[in-house]
Amino acid sequence: MSDSYLGFANSPLGSRVASMLGLPQPLPLERYQPGQPVVRGSVLVGAGPDAKLLPALAGVFKAIGAQTVAHRDVPQWMGLANPLGMMTGRWGTDDQPGEKVKALVFDATGLTDSGQSDALYRFFHDAARSVLPCGRVLVLGRAPESCTTPRQATVQRALEGLTRSLAKELKRGITAQLVYVAEGAEDQLEGALRFLLSPRSAYVSAQVVRLSKPVGPVAAPQDWAQPLAGKKVLVTGASRGIGAAIAEVMARDGAQVICLDVPQAQAGLDEVAQRLGAKALAQDIGSAEAPQALVDAALLDGGWDVVVHNAGITRDKTIANMKEHLWQAVVNVNLSTQERINDALVASGALKTGARIVCVSSISGIAGNLGQTNYALSKAGVIGMVQSMAPVLAEQGITINAVAPGFIETQMTAAVPFAIREAGRRMNSMGQGGQPVDVAETIAWFASPASSGLTGNVVRVCGQSLLGA
Ligand code: NAD
């Protein structure tokens, strides 16, 4: 569904009216187009004392072809970047900011005490007005639970408050994320930065991502434009909406896609599959025989590399008015059946080593929602499944993660009454709803062979929605 206010607020007349009346002025977000560079503009690098990731970052920026400049507090950057053949220099002077930049990246991994937080102030105070529209901010730290002293854990945890506030202050389609990078996960930075610095992450903001040591085989894609080349990917609920967008992005990234939906959706399913050169699989995942049917289909394909549990349903009623079968249907399709399918696929060996399971939760599962006790229980359960299964599946070299979409422009949200729909659209830092492709790009990032350091993560695709924040 299109957002006509977004178009109006960006027209010459509309922008004057919106500014006179103090109405929100959301910016059309930049989205990924094949062939684009990862970052369209320079990256300003900053760091606190004893930053650990600067050498790894220099390698990543070289690999992605990013132009960098260094904040005055990081004079060592030139000595790291120049030997790699990167043109770089100091950004600004002591009292004047330098050029406008597309991204700010701050290495906070060396912070061990809150007294050192001035380094964050200096960098973001100097640079806050110099980020271009739809820019990116990344703060890199160490997960508090991995820290060796309470003081270190405290200052590392404090980075969350900074990052979430930056995401709210910078506006203009700029996103900000915190990435906790484990020791030994430095080689996982490239895959994460290729997503988080690029327009692929247009509607992901204020998220905390944990990069751990790789799970299973480490295999960077041979061609970053087709990271899923040769991979077999099942997408459930693929006949329309977010599922169709996921199938499309997976196919664009080189995957052989298996599109699944209920037999009643056969027409839409066939249309999507035909358009993408994919297989169509008509199967109700809620049925008792679904897990075995999927195992059989996967084994016939020689095993699957990625499973995306996207299919989901809503049957909204307040709990006092809800019939038991509505409760059961939602919990079954959205949660229990996914647990059964995962168990069957793993036990039968139908998922290959290095496989990825990606689930779709919802901000309803984080914030709760009136009339959605069944749905919110199922979507919170998806988060529980991801977090509890991650260490179990890691032993088999399999990762499991979830996305939690906020307000996404689909048939489901088009059916929401106007006032509630407008509130859902605007109550986030981007001032607009997300597109199905935004969810799909995030899922493709989890699905990538470059994401073996990502497991047990839940990333919201919600433009920093105020709900559940
Ligand atoms: P949608 O209703 O347009 O699509 C869901 C698809 O799943 C449909 O094609 C449907 O036929 C299929 N499906 C339902 N039950 C099935 C079953 N038993 N077996 C096989 N297929 C089945 O919904 P959507 O908006 O595209 O949502 C996709 C996912 O994203 C869902 O899990 C939903 O809960 C979640 N989500 C959506 C939003 C949003 O704003 N649209 C927000 C948060 C989460």
Side-chain angles (χ1 to χ4, degrees):
M1 156 141 206
S2 74
D3 178 356
S4 42
Y5 178 75
L6 183 65
F8 171 73
N10 284 283
S11 67
L13 171 68
S15 102
R16 258 184 292 143
V17 173
S19 120
M20 261 161 33
L21 298 178
L23 296 172
Q25 289 187 280
L27 204 72
L29 302 181
E30 289 171 9
R31 292 198 164 80
Y32 171 72
Q33 300 293 331
Q36 273 179 355
V38 177
V39 192
R40 289 201 289 177
S42 346
V43 179
L44 174 58
V45 179
D50 203 20
K52 308 289 188 211
L53 293 173
L54 293 176
L57 280 174
V60 171
F61 290 134
K62 164 85 178 159
I64 67 177
Q67 170 80 38
T68 63
V69 278
H71 184 257
R72 62 190 152 107
D73 284 356
V74 207
Q76 70 271 41
W77 181 253
M78 270 66 87
L80 292 165
N82 289 336
L84 297 179
M86 294 162 72
M87 294 280 288
T88 187
R90 185 178 150 174
W91 180 80
T93 58
D94 279 342
D95 46 11
Q96 284 299 316
E99 67 196 86
K100 298 268 182 204
V101 294
K102 195 68 179 181
L104 308 178
V105 176
F106 188 94
D107 182 351
T109 51
L111 299 185
T112 53
D113 190 288
S114 57
Q116 297 167 322
S117 76
D118 299 7
L120 293 156
Y121 167 77
R122 280 195 300 277
F123 179 74
F124 289 109
H125 172 78
D126 292 352
R129 291 200 179 91
S130 299
V131 187
L132 289 163
C134 298
R136 298 285 179 265
V137 175
L138 288 189
V139 178
L140 307 172
R142 295 289 196 214
E145 61 274 15
S146 72
C147 292
T148 49
T149 68
R151 291 241 173 150
Q152 183 192 14
T154 301
V155 68
Q156 292 295 329
R157 178 62 180 77
L159 298 174
E160 269 198 43
L162 166 82
T163 313
R164 292 189 204 279
S165 300
L166 286 171
K168 290 188 175 171
E169 282 186 12
L170 296 180
K171 301 195 176 80
R172 296 178 301 128
I174 297 165
T175 67
Q177 333 284 352
L178 170 60
V179 185
Y180 285 131
V181 185
E183 277 182 54
E186 294 77 12
D187 62 347
Q188 297 301 305
L189 271 173
E190 183 172 351
L193 265 61
R194 279 181 180 272
F195 176 72
L196 294 171
L197 289 180
S198 84
R200 291 176 199 253
S201 54
Y203 202 62
V204 176
S205 194
Q207 297 307 292
V208 181
V209 174
R210 282 172 164 73
L211 268 188
S212 51
K213 282 188 198 163
V215 165
V218 180
Q222 293 194 334
D223 175 1
W224 284 96
Q226 296 254 292
L228 294 172
K231 303 288 181 193
K232 293 187 176 146
V233 177
L234 173 78
V235 182
T236 70
S239 74
R240 65 178 204 185
I242 294 172
I246 299 168
E248 199 163 319
V249 166
M250 296 287 173
R252 178 202 71 192
D253 283 358
Q256 295 169 38
V257 184
I258 301 105
C259 296
L260 178 150
D261 214 300
V262 286
Q264 301 91 297
Q266 185 85 57
L269 183 63
D270 288 343
E271 188 274 310
V272 173
Q274 206 167 15
R275 182 158 49 84
L276 303 178
K279 270 193 197 172
L281 187 56
Q283 172 71 52
D284 178 347
I285 55 159
S287 69
E289 58 279 7
Q292 189 55 46
L294 292 190
V295 166
D296 295 343
L299 291 176
L300 213 62
D301 271 349
W304 288 336
D305 301 279
V306 180
V307 170
V308 183
H309 289 298
N310 162 75
I313 57 172
T314 50
R315 298 289 183 269
D316 297 356
K317 284 272 179 221
T318 58
I319 190 132
N321 290 327
M322 192 182 296
K323 300 270 188 276
E324 192 172 357
H325 72 274
L326 299 182
W327 176 275
Q328 285 169 346
V330 169
V331 177
N332 184 43
V333 171
N334 294 3
L335 180 60
S336 310
T337 195
Q338 299 183 14
E339 297 180 281
R340 290 195 297 269
I341 289 170
N342 290 344
D343 287 353
L345 288 173
V346 171
S348 64
L351 278 188
K352 294 186 191 166
T353 310
R356 312 265 181 260
I357 299 174
V358 193
C359 308
V360 179
S361 177
S362 164
I363 56 168
S364 278
I366 295 168
N369 204 7
L370 193 151
Q372 290 201 316
T373 48
N374 51 357
Y375 183 76
L377 174 129
S378 71
K379 294 298 187 179
V382 166
I383 295 174
M385 174 174 76
V386 160
Q387 292 174 340
S388 58
M389 286 303 289
V392 178
L393 292 171
E395 285 169 23
Q396 330 228 10
I398 296 171
T399 68
I400 180 165
N401 294 283
V403 296
F407 184 97
I408 305 296
E409 303 281 356
T410 62
Q411 287 179 24
M412 194 174 100
T413 47
V416 172
F418 175 78
I420 301 177
R421 188 168 71 230
E422 253 332 87
R425 261 190 189 139
R426 306 292 164 220
M427 281 168 55
N428 60 71
S429 297
M430 301 291 154
Q432 58 197 287
Q435 297 294 329
V437 71
D438 298 325
V439 181
E441 296 280 14
T442 312
I443 290 177
W445 170 45
F446 282 136
S448 166
S451 297
S452 42
L454 284 172
T455 195
N457 279 276
V458 178
V459 166
R460 293 167 56 147
V461 186
C462 67
Q464 194 176 25
S465 168
L466 297 181
L467 288 183

